[in-house]
Coordinates of all heavy atoms in Angstrom, one line a residue:
V1 N 0.9 -1.1 0.0 CA 0.0 0.0 0.0 C 0.8 1.2 0.0 O 1.8 1.3 0.8 CB -1.0 0.0 1.2 CG1 -1.8 1.3 1.3 CG2 -1.8 -1.2 1.3
G2 N 0.6 2.2 -0.9 CA 1.3 3.4 -0.9 C 0.8 4.4 0.2 O -0.4 4.5 0.4
T3 N 1.6 5.1 0.9 CA 1.3 6.0 2.0 C 2.2 7.1 2.1 O 3.2 7.2 1.3 CB 1.2 5.2 3.3 OG1 0.6 6.0 4.3 CG2 2.6 4.8 3.8
T4 N 1.9 8.1 2.9 CA 2.8 9.3 3.2 C 3.5 9.1 4.6 O 3.1 8.3 5.4 CB 2.0 10.5 3.1 OG1 1.1 10.5 4.2 CG2 1.3 10.6 1.7
V5 N 4.4 10.0 4.8 CA 5.1 10.0 6.1 C 4.0 10.3 7.2 O 4.0 9.6 8.3 CB 6.3 11.1 6.2 CG1 6.7 11.2 7.6 CG2 7.3 10.7 5.3
K6 N 3.1 11.3 6.9 CA 2.1 11.6 7.9 C 1.1 10.4 8.2 O 0.6 10.3 9.2 CB 1.3 12.8 7.4 CG 2.0 14.0 7.4 CD 1.1 15.2 6.9 CE 1.8 16.5 6.9 NZ 1.0 17.6 6.5
E7 N 1.0 9.5 7.2 CA 0.0 8.4 7.4 C 0.7 7.0 7.9 O 0.0 6.1 8.1 CB -0.7 8.1 6.1 CG -1.5 9.3 5.7 CD -2.0 9.1 4.2 OE1 -1.4 8.4 3.4 OE2 -3.1 9.6 3.9
L8 N 2.0 7.1 8.1 CA 2.7 5.9 8.6 C 2.2 5.5 10.0 O 1.9 6.4 10.8 CB 4.2 6.1 8.7 CG 5.0 6.0 7.4 CD1 6.4 6.5 7.7 CD2 4.9 4.7 6.8
K9 N 2.0 4.2 10.2 CA 1.5 3.7 11.5 C 2.4 2.6 12.0 O 3.1 1.9 11.3 CB 0.2 3.1 11.3 CG -1.0 4.0 11.0 CD -2.3 3.3 10.8 CE -2.3 2.6 9.5 NZ -3.6 2.1 9.1
P10 N 2.6 2.5 13.4 CA 3.5 1.5 13.9 C 2.9 0.1 13.5 O 1.7 -0.1 13.4 CB 3.2 1.7 15.5 CG 2.9 3.1 15.6 CD 2.1 3.5 14.4
G11 N 3.9 -0.8 13.2 CA 3.5 -2.2 12.8 C 3.5 -2.3 11.3 O 3.4 -3.5 10.9
Q12 N 3.7 -1.3 10.6 CA 3.8 -1.5 9.1 C 5.2 -1.9 8.8 O 6.2 -1.5 9.4 CB 3.4 -0.2 8.4 CG 2.0 0.2 8.6 CD 1.6 1.5 7.9 OE1 2.4 2.4 8.0 NE2 0.5 1.6 7.3
L13 N 5.4 -2.6 7.8 CA 6.7 -3.1 7.2 C 7.0 -2.3 6.1 O 6.2 -2.2 5.0 CB 6.6 -4.6 6.9 CG 7.9 -5.1 6.2 CD1 9.1 -5.1 7.2 CD2 7.6 -6.5 5.7
L14 N 8.2 -1.6 6.0 CA 8.6 -0.9 4.7 C 8.9 -1.9 3.6 O 9.8 -2.7 3.8 CB 9.8 0.0 5.1 CG 9.5 1.1 6.1 CD1 10.9 1.9 6.4 CD2 8.5 2.1 5.6
V15 N 8.3 -1.8 2.5 CA 8.6 -2.6 1.4 C 9.3 -1.9 0.3 O 9.6 -2.4 -0.8 CB 7.4 -3.4 0.8 CG1 6.9 -4.4 1.9 CG2 6.3 -2.5 0.4
S16 N 9.5 -0.6 0.5 CA 10.4 0.3 -0.3 C 11.3 1.1 0.6 O 11.0 1.4 1.7 CB 9.5 1.2 -1.2 OG 8.8 2.1 -0.4
S17 N 12.5 1.4 0.1 CA 13.4 2.2 0.8 C 12.8 3.6 0.8 O 12.1 4.0 -0.1 CB 14.7 2.2 0.2 OG 15.4 0.9 0.3
I18 N 13.2 4.4 1.9 CA 12.8 5.8 2.0 C 14.0 6.7 1.6 O 15.1 6.4 2.0 CB 12.3 6.1 3.4 CG1 11.1 5.3 3.7 CG2 12.0 7.6 3.5 CD1 10.6 5.4 5.1
E19 N 13.7 7.6 0.7 CA 14.7 8.5 0.2 C 14.2 10.0 0.3 O 13.1 10.3 0.4 CB 15.0 8.2 -1.3 CG 15.5 6.8 -1.6 CD 15.7 6.6 -3.1 OE1 15.1 7.4 -3.9 OE2 16.3 5.6 -3.4
T20 N 15.2 10.9 0.3 CA 15.0 12.3 0.3 C 14.4 12.6 -1.1 O 14.5 11.8 -2.0 CB 16.2 13.2 0.6 OG1 17.1 13.0 -0.5 CG2 16.8 12.9 1.9
E21 N 13.9 13.8 -1.3 CA 13.5 14.2 -2.6 C 14.5 14.3 -3.6 O 14.4 14.2 -4.9 CB 12.8 15.5 -2.5 CG 11.4 15.5 -1.8 CD 10.7 16.8 -1.6 OE1 11.3 17.8 -1.8 OE2 9.5 16.7 -1.2
D22 N 15.8 14.4 -3.2 CA 17.0 14.4 -4.0 C 17.6 13.0 -4.3 O 18.7 12.9 -4.9 CB 18.1 15.3 -3.3 CG 17.7 16.7 -3.2 OD1 16.9 17.2 -4.1 OD2 18.2 17.4 -2.3
G23 N 17.0 12.0 -3.7 CA 17.3 10.6 -3.9 C 18.3 10.0 -3.0 O 18.9 8.9 -3.2
V24 N 18.6 10.7 -1.8 CA 19.5 10.2 -0.8 C 18.8 9.2 0.1 O 17.7 9.5 0.5 CB 20.1 11.4 0.1 CG1 21.0 10.8 1.2 CG2 20.9 12.4 -0.8
L25 N 19.4 8.0 0.2 CA 18.8 7.0 1.0 C 18.8 7.4 2.5 O 19.8 7.9 3.1 CB 19.6 5.7 0.9 CG 19.1 4.5 1.7 CD1 17.8 4.0 1.2 CD2 20.1 3.4 1.7
V26 N 17.5 7.3 3.0 CA 17.3 7.6 4.5 C 17.2 6.3 5.3 O 17.9 6.2 6.4 CB 16.1 8.4 4.7 CG1 15.7 8.7 6.2 CG2 16.1 9.8 4.0
I27 N 16.4 5.3 4.8 CA 16.2 4.1 5.5 C 15.9 3.0 4.5 O 15.1 3.2 3.6 CB 15.2 4.2 6.6 CG1 15.2 2.9 7.4 CG2 13.8 4.4 6.1 CD1 14.5 3.0 8.7
R28 N 16.5 1.8 4.6 CA 16.3 0.7 3.6 C 14.9 0.1 4.0 O 14.4 0.0 5.1 CB 17.4 -0.3 3.8 CG 18.7 0.2 3.3 CD 19.7 -0.9 3.2 NE 21.0 -0.4 2.9 CZ 21.4 -0.1 1.6 NH1 20.6 -0.2 0.6 NH2 22.7 0.4 1.5
D29 N 14.4 -0.6 2.9 CA 13.2 -1.4 3.1 C 13.4 -2.6 4.0 O 14.7 -2.8 4.3 CB 12.7 -1.9 1.7 CG 13.7 -2.8 1.1 OD1 15.0 -2.7 1.2 OD2 13.4 -3.7 0.3
G30 N 12.4 -3.2 4.5 CA 12.6 -4.3 5.5 C 12.5 -3.9 6.9 O 12.4 -4.8 7.8
Q31 N 12.4 -2.6 7.2 CA 12.3 -2.1 8.6 C 10.8 -2.1 9.0 O 9.9 -1.8 8.2 CB 12.9 -0.7 8.8 CG 14.3 -0.6 8.4 CD 15.1 -1.3 9.4 OE1 14.9 -1.2 10.6 NE2 16.1 -2.1 8.9
V32 N 10.5 -2.4 10.3 CA 9.2 -2.3 10.8 C 9.1 -0.9 11.5 O 9.9 -0.5 12.2 CB 8.9 -3.4 12.0 CG1 7.6 -3.2 12.5 CG2 9.1 -4.8 11.3
V33 N 7.9 -0.3 11.1 CA 7.7 1.1 11.5 C 7.4 1.1 13.0 O 6.5 0.3 13.5 CB 6.6 1.7 10.8 CG1 6.3 3.1 11.3 CG2 7.0 1.8 9.3
S34 N 8.0 2.0 13.8 CA 7.7 2.1 15.3 C 7.4 3.6 15.5 O 7.7 4.4 14.6 CB 9.0 1.7 16.1 OG 10.0 2.7 15.8
P35 N 6.9 3.9 16.7 CA 6.6 5.3 16.9 C 7.8 6.2 16.8 O 7.8 7.3 16.4 CB 6.0 5.3 18.3 CG 5.4 3.9 18.5 CD 6.2 3.0 17.7
R36 N 9.0 5.6 17.3 CA 10.3 6.3 17.3 C 10.7 6.6 15.8 O 11.2 7.7 15.5 CB 11.3 5.5 18.1 CG 12.6 6.2 18.1 CD 13.7 5.3 18.9 NE 14.9 6.0 18.9 CZ 16.0 5.4 19.1 NH1 16.0 4.1 19.4 NH2 17.1 6.0 19.0
L37 N 10.5 5.6 15.0 CA 10.9 5.7 13.6 C 10.0 6.8 12.9 O 10.5 7.6 12.2 CB 10.8 4.4 12.9 CG 11.2 4.4 11.3 CD1 12.7 4.9 11.2 CD2 11.0 3.1 10.8
I38 N 8.7 6.8 13.2 CA 7.9 7.8 12.7 C 8.2 9.2 13.0 O 8.3 10.1 12.2 CB 6.4 7.5 13.1 CG1 5.9 6.2 12.4 CG2 5.5 8.7 12.7 CD1 4.6 5.8 13.0
H39 N 8.7 9.4 14.3 CA 9.1 10.6 14.8 C 10.3 11.1 14.0 O 10.4 12.3 13.6 CB 9.3 10.6 16.3 CG 9.8 11.8 16.9 ND1 9.0 12.9 17.1 CD2 11.1 12.3 17.2 CE1 9.7 13.9 17.6 NE2 11.0 13.5 17.7
K40 N 11.3 10.2 13.9 CA 12.5 10.6 13.1 C 12.2 10.9 11.7 O 12.7 11.9 11.1 CB 13.5 9.5 13.2 CG 14.1 9.3 14.5 CD 15.2 8.2 14.5 CE 15.9 8.1 15.8 NZ 17.0 7.1 15.8
L41 N 11.3 10.1 11.0 CA 11.0 10.4 9.6 C 10.2 11.7 9.4 O 10.4 12.4 8.4 CB 10.2 9.2 9.0 CG 11.0 7.9 8.8 CD1 10.1 6.8 8.5 CD2 12.1 8.2 7.7
R42 N 9.3 12.0 10.4 CA 8.6 13.3 10.3 C 9.5 14.4 10.4 O 9.4 15.4 9.6 CB 7.5 13.3 11.2 CG 6.3 12.4 10.9 CD 5.2 12.5 11.8 NE 4.1 11.6 11.5 CZ 3.1 11.2 12.2 NH1 3.0 11.7 13.4 NH2 2.2 10.5 11.7
N43 N 10.5 14.4 11.3 CA 11.5 15.4 11.4 C 12.3 15.5 10.1 O 12.6 16.7 9.7 CB 12.4 15.2 12.7 CG 11.7 15.4 14.0 OD1 10.7 16.2 14.0 ND2 12.2 14.9 15.0
F44 N 12.7 14.5 9.6 CA 13.5 14.4 8.4 C 12.8 15.0 7.2 O 13.3 15.7 6.4 CB 14.0 13.0 8.1 CG 15.3 13.0 7.3 CD1 16.5 12.9 7.8 CD2 15.1 13.0 5.8 CE1 17.7 12.9 7.1 CE2 16.3 13.0 5.1 CZ 17.6 12.9 5.7
A45 N 11.4 14.6 7.1 CA 10.6 15.0 6.1 C 10.5 16.6 6.2 O 10.5 17.3 5.1 CB 9.2 14.5 6.1
F46 N 10.4 17.1 7.4 CA 10.3 18.6 7.5 C 11.5 19.3 7.1 O 11.4 20.3 6.5 CB 10.0 18.9 9.1 CG 9.8 20.4 9.3 CD1 8.7 21.0 9.0 CD2 10.9 21.0 10.0 CE1 8.5 22.4 9.2 CE2 10.8 22.4 10.3 CZ 9.6 23.1 9.9
T47 N 12.6 18.7 7.4 CA 13.9 19.4 7.1 C 14.5 19.2 5.7 O 15.0 20.1 5.1 CB 15.0 19.1 8.1 OG1 15.3 17.6 8.1 CG2 14.6 19.5 9.6
S48 N 14.3 18.0 5.2 CA 14.9 17.7 3.9 C 13.9 17.2 2.8 O 14.2 17.1 1.7 CB 15.9 16.5 4.1 OG 16.8 16.9 5.0
G49 N 12.6 16.8 3.2 CA 11.7 16.3 2.3 C 11.9 14.9 2.0 O 13.0 14.4 2.0
I50 N 10.8 14.1 1.8 CA 10.9 12.7 1.6 C 10.1 12.4 0.4 O 9.0 12.9 0.2 CB 10.3 12.0 2.9 CG1 11.1 12.1 4.1 CG2 10.1 10.5 2.5 CD1 12.4 11.4 4.1
R51 N 10.6 11.4 -0.5 CA 9.9 11.0 -1.7 C 8.7 10.2 -1.2 O 8.8 9.2 -0.4 CB 10.7 10.1 -2.6 CG 11.6 11.0 -3.4 CD 12.3 10.1 -4.4 NE 13.3 10.8 -5.2 CZ 14.2 10.3 -6.0 NH1 14.3 9.1 -6.2 NH2 15.0 11.1 -6.6
E52 N 7.6 10.5 -1.8 CA 6.4 9.7 -1.5 C 5.7 9.3 -2.8 O 5.9 9.9 -3.8 CB 5.4 10.5 -0.7 CG 5.9 11.0 0.7 CD 5.1 11.8 1.5 OE1 4.3 12.6 0.9 OE2 5.1 11.7 2.8
P53 N 4.9 8.2 -2.9 CA 4.5 7.5 -1.7 C 5.6 6.5 -1.1 O 6.5 6.2 -1.8 CB 3.3 6.6 -2.3 CG 3.7 6.5 -3.7 CD 4.4 7.7 -4.1
I54 N 5.4 6.1 0.1 CA 6.2 5.1 0.7 C 5.3 3.8 0.8 O 4.2 3.8 1.1 CB 6.5 5.6 2.2 CG1 7.3 6.8 2.2 CG2 7.2 4.4 3.0 CD1 7.4 7.5 3.5
Y55 N 5.9 2.7 0.3 CA 5.1 1.5 0.2 C 5.3 0.6 1.5 O 6.5 0.4 1.9 CB 5.5 0.7 -1.1 CG 5.0 1.5 -2.3 CD1 5.9 2.3 -2.9 CD2 3.7 1.4 -2.7 CE1 5.5 3.1 -4.0 CE2 3.3 2.1 -3.8 CZ 4.1 2.9 -4.4 OH 3.7 3.7 -5.4
V56 N 4.3 0.2 2.1 CA 4.2 -0.6 3.2 C 3.3 -1.8 3.2 O 2.3 -1.8 2.4 CB 3.9 0.3 4.5 CG1 4.9 1.4 4.7 CG2 2.5 0.9 4.4
I57 N 3.5 -2.7 4.2 CA 2.5 -3.8 4.4 C 2.0 -3.6 5.9 O 3.0 -3.5 6.7 CB 3.1 -5.2 4.2 CG1 3.5 -5.3 2.7 CG2 2.1 -6.3 4.6 CD1 4.2 -6.7 2.4
D58 N 0.8 -3.7 6.1 CA 0.4 -3.6 7.5 C 0.4 -5.0 8.3 O -0.4 -5.8 8.0 CB -1.1 -3.1 7.6 CG -1.4 -2.6 9.0 OD1 -0.8 -2.9 9.9 OD2 -2.5 -1.9 9.1
L59 N 1.5 -5.2 9.0 CA 1.7 -6.4 9.7 C 0.7 -6.6 10.8 O 0.5 -7.8 11.2 CB 3.1 -6.4 10.3 CG 4.3 -6.4 9.4 CD1 5.7 -6.3 10.1 CD2 4.2 -7.6 8.4
L60 N 0.1 -5.6 11.4 CA -0.8 -5.8 12.5 C -2.1 -6.3 12.1 O -2.9 -6.5 13.0 CB -0.8 -4.5 13.4 CG 0.5 -4.2 14.0 CD1 0.3 -3.0 14.9 CD2 1.1 -5.3 14.9
E61 N -2.3 -6.5 10.8 CA -3.6 -7.0 10.4 C -3.7 -8.5 10.7 O -4.7 -9.1 10.8 CB -3.9 -6.8 8.9 CG -4.1 -5.4 8.6 CD -4.3 -5.2 7.1 OE1 -4.2 -6.2 6.3 OE2 -4.5 -4.1 6.6
S62 N -2.5 -9.1 10.9 CA -2.4 -10.5 11.2 C -2.2 -10.7 12.7 O -1.3 -10.1 13.3 CB -1.3 -11.2 10.4 OG -1.0 -12.4 11.0
R63 N -2.9 -11.5 13.4 CA -2.8 -11.6 14.8 C -1.4 -12.3 15.2 O -0.8 -11.8 16.2 CB -3.9 -12.6 15.3 CG -3.9 -12.7 16.9 CD -5.1 -13.6 17.2 NE -6.3 -12.9 17.3 CZ -7.0 -12.5 18.4 NH1 -6.4 -12.8 19.5 NH2 -8.1 -11.9 18.3
S64 N -0.9 -13.2 14.4 CA 0.4 -13.7 14.7 C 1.6 -12.8 14.5 O 2.5 -12.8 15.2 CB 0.6 -15.0 13.8 OG 0.7 -14.6 12.5
M65 N 1.3 -11.8 13.6 CA 2.4 -10.8 13.4 C 2.4 -9.7 14.5 O 3.4 -9.2 14.8 CB 2.1 -10.1 12.0 CG 2.4 -11.0 10.9 SD 4.0 -11.9 10.9 CE 5.0 -10.5 10.6
T66 N 1.3 -9.6 15.1 CA 1.2 -8.7 16.3 C 2.1 -9.1 17.4 O 2.9 -8.2 17.9 CB -0.2 -8.6 16.9 OG1 -1.1 -8.2 15.8 CG2 -0.4 -7.6 18.0
T67 N 2.2 -10.3 17.7 CA 3.1 -10.8 18.7 C 4.6 -10.7 18.3 O 5.4 -10.2 19.1 CB 2.8 -12.3 19.0 OG1 1.5 -12.5 19.4 CG2 3.8 -12.9 20.1
A68 N 4.9 -10.9 17.1 CA 6.2 -10.7 16.6 C 6.6 -9.3 16.6 O 7.8 -8.9 17.0 CB 6.3 -11.3 15.1
F69 N 5.8 -8.4 16.2 CA 6.0 -6.9 16.2 C 6.3 -6.5 17.6 O 7.3 -5.7 17.9 CB 4.9 -6.2 15.6 CG 5.0 -4.6 15.8 CD1 5.9 -4.0 15.1 CD2 4.3 -4.0 16.8 CE1 6.1 -2.6 15.2 CE2 4.4 -2.6 17.0 CZ 5.4 -1.9 16.1
H70 N 5.6 -6.9 18.6 CA 5.8 -6.4 20.0 C 7.2 -6.9 20.5 O 7.9 -6.3 21.2 CB 4.7 -7.0 20.9 CG 3.5 -6.1 20.7 ND1 3.4 -4.8 21.0 CD2 2.3 -6.5 20.2 CE1 2.2 -4.3 20.6 NE2 1.5 -5.4 20.1
K71 N 7.7 -8.2 20.1 CA 8.9 -8.7 20.5 C 10.0 -7.8 19.7 O 11.0 -7.4 20.4 CB 9.1 -10.1 20.0 CG 8.3 -11.0 20.9 CD 8.5 -12.5 20.5 CE 7.6 -13.4 21.3 NZ 7.8 -14.8 20.8
I72 N 9.8 -7.4 18.5 CA 10.8 -6.6 17.8 C 10.9 -5.2 18.4 O 12.1 -4.8 18.5 CB 10.4 -6.5 16.3 CG1 10.6 -7.9 15.6 CG2 11.3 -5.5 15.5 CD1 9.9 -7.9 14.2
T73 N 9.9 -4.6 18.8 CA 9.9 -3.3 19.4 C 10.7 -3.2 20.7 O 11.1 -2.1 21.1 CB 8.5 -2.7 19.5 OG1 7.8 -3.6 20.4 CG2 7.7 -2.5 18.2
Q74 N 11.0 -4.3 21.3 CA 11.7 -4.3 22.6 C 13.3 -4.1 22.3 O 14.0 -3.8 23.2 CB 11.6 -5.7 23.3 CG 10.1 -6.0 23.6 CD 9.5 -4.9 24.4 OE1 10.1 -4.4 25.4 NE2 8.3 -4.4 24.0
S75 N 13.7 -4.3 21.0 CA 15.0 -4.1 20.6 C 15.3 -2.7 20.0 O 14.7 -2.4 19.0 CB 15.4 -5.1 19.6 OG 16.7 -4.8 19.1
E76 N 16.0 -1.9 20.7 CA 16.3 -0.5 20.1 C 17.0 -0.6 18.8 O 16.8 0.2 18.0 CB 17.2 0.2 21.2 CG 16.4 0.8 22.3 CD 15.5 2.0 21.9 OE1 15.8 2.8 21.1 OE2 14.3 1.9 22.3
T77 N 17.9 -1.5 18.7 CA 18.7 -1.6 17.5 C 18.0 -1.9 16.3 O 18.4 -1.7 15.1 CB 19.9 -2.7 17.6 OG1 19.3 -4.0 17.9 CG2 20.8 -2.2 18.7
A78 N 16.7 -2.4 16.4 CA 15.9 -2.8 15.2 C 15.5 -1.6 14.4 O 15.1 -1.8 13.3 CB 14.7 -3.6 15.6
F79 N 15.6 -0.4 15.0 CA 15.1 0.8 14.3 C 16.2 1.8 14.0 O 15.8 2.9 13.8 CB 14.0 1.4 15.2 CG 12.8 0.4 15.5 CD1 12.8 -0.2 16.8 CD2 12.0 0.0 14.5 CE1 11.8 -1.2 17.0 CE2 11.1 -1.0 14.7 CZ 11.0 -1.5 16.0
L80 N 17.4 1.4 14.0 CA 18.4 2.3 13.6 C 18.5 2.6 12.2 O 18.2 1.6 11.4 CB 19.8 1.9 14.2 CG 19.9 1.8 15.7 CD1 21.3 1.3 16.0 CD2 19.8 3.2 16.3
F81 N 18.8 3.7 11.7 CA 19.1 3.9 10.3 C 20.2 3.2 9.8 O 21.2 3.1 10.4 CB 19.2 5.4 10.0 CG 18.0 6.2 10.2 CD1 17.7 6.9 11.4 CD2 17.0 6.2 9.2 CE1 16.6 7.7 11.5 CE2 15.8 7.0 9.4 CZ 15.7 7.7 10.6
K82 N 20.1 2.7 8.6 CA 21.3 1.9 7.9 C 22.0 3.0 7.1 O 21.5 3.9 6.5 CB 20.7 0.8 7.1 CG 20.2 -0.4 7.9 CD 19.9 -1.5 7.0 CE 19.4 -2.6 7.9 NZ 19.1 -3.8 7.0

């Protein structure tokens, strides 16, 4: 699903990398969106601009993925920029 930085929600999986409007890589695909990541991306979008749409899969639509997401969010390193 294509979305914007403003519409990102915790539990979504990035299936496309996020880049600035100039094409600079901000974060690679494969990351799970967390509240902390959303905050960082919104700040980055404000200062540098982000290419949209951002393509995501909503992992929390699946009950089994909800448990996995909560385990992942316990790890700070899962959300660092690459």
Side-chain angles (χ1 to χ4, degrees):
V1 175
T3 191
T4 65
V5 172
K6 289 182 181 181
E7 296 172 331
L8 283 173
K9 294 182 282 188
Q12 293 176 321
L13 175 68
L14 296 174
V15 294
S16 64
S17 295
I18 298 177
E19 300 177 343
T20 65
E21 291 177 350
D22 296 331
V24 176
L25 180 65
V26 176
I27 188 166
R28 294 191 186 279
D29 61 330
Q31 299 292 317
V32 176
V33 177
S34 68
R36 181 177 176 200
L37 181 60
I38 291 170
H39 179 75
K40 286 182 177 185
L41 288 172
R42 286 182 179 167
N43 285 338
F44 204 92
F46 179 75
T47 59
S48 302
I50 295 288
R51 279 191 187 165
E52 297 176 330
I54 299 166
Y55 292 96
V56 298
I57 296 173
D58 195 345
L59 295 177
L60 295 182
E61 289 179 1
S62 166
R63 189 177 276 255
S64 62
M65 293 306 291
T66 302
T67 302
F69 172 72
H70 288 294
K71 288 180 183 177
I72 291 170
T73 59
Q74 302 305 310
S75 171
E76 283 291 315
T77 58
F79 304 105
L80 295 177
F81 289 99
K82 289 187 175 182

